[in-house]
Amino acid sequence: MTAQSAAFLDDLAPGRAMSVSVTAADGSDMVIALVRSSSGDVFAIDDECSHGRASLGEGDVFTTGGVCSVECWKHGSRFDAATGKPLNFPATQSVAIYPVTIDGDLILVDVDAPTKN
């Protein structure tokens, strides 16, 4: 499967995250988090924190030292939005990231090509 439309760029303000439902090539439904840095870069990561069952799409977004991260609202773990790696405890496991393409005002995500660092 190729990249699919996940959201409109205008629906994701800089410095914000949101959860979106997408469909994988095998027909399964999944939820990912879209994260937009304060400079406007867009990332797609697993929506569920690797430490606990909490939506990263509901977390706060930070850009520090050129690194965009999203913070789990439940326990405070931050994940690098570009790599999926946890930046602090209690999370110790990465979350998958997905390739993102911007086409006009559409955010396209290839959920069938995850990377887990």
Side-chain angles (χ1 to χ4, degrees), residues 18-20 30-35 43-50 54-57 70 79 81 84 94-98 111 114-116:
M18 66 187 281
S19 300
V20 296
M30 59 188 290
V31 180
I32 60 170
L34 297 177
V35 179
F43 305 93
I45 64 174
D46 275 344
D47 186 56
E48 188 171 290
C49 173
S50 63
S55 168
L56 294 177
V70 61
F79 295 87
S94 296
V95 294
I97 58 171
Y98 304 91
V111 295
T115 300
K116 193 160 186 178

Side-chain angles (χ1 to χ4, degrees), residues 13-114:
R16 303 289 301 200
M18 66 187 281
S19 300
V20 296
S21 296
V22 292
T23 304
D26 66 4
S28 63
D29 292 326
M30 59 188 290
V31 180
I32 60 170
L34 297 177
V35 179
R36 191 167 182 192
S37 72
S38 58
S39 63
D41 295 321
V42 178
F43 305 93
I45 64 174
D46 275 344
D47 186 56
E48 188 171 290
C49 173
S50 63
H51 170 257
R53 300 194 118 185
S55 168
L56 294 177
E58 296 177 27
D60 291 325
V61 175
F62 300 89
T63 303
T64 307
V67 174
C68 177
S69 63
V70 61
E71 182 177 77
C72 174
W73 62 269
K74 195 169 188 179
H75 295 113
S77 291
R78 287 189 189 182
F79 295 87
D80 183 320
T83 67
K85 292 182 180 180
L87 300 175
N88 64 311
F89 293 109
T92 59
Q93 299 295 313
S94 296
V95 294
I97 58 171
Y98 304 91
V100 172
T101 305
I102 306 299
D103 183 12
D105 192 35
L106 287 176
I107 302 171
L108 305 174
V109 179
D110 187 350
V111 295
D112 295 310

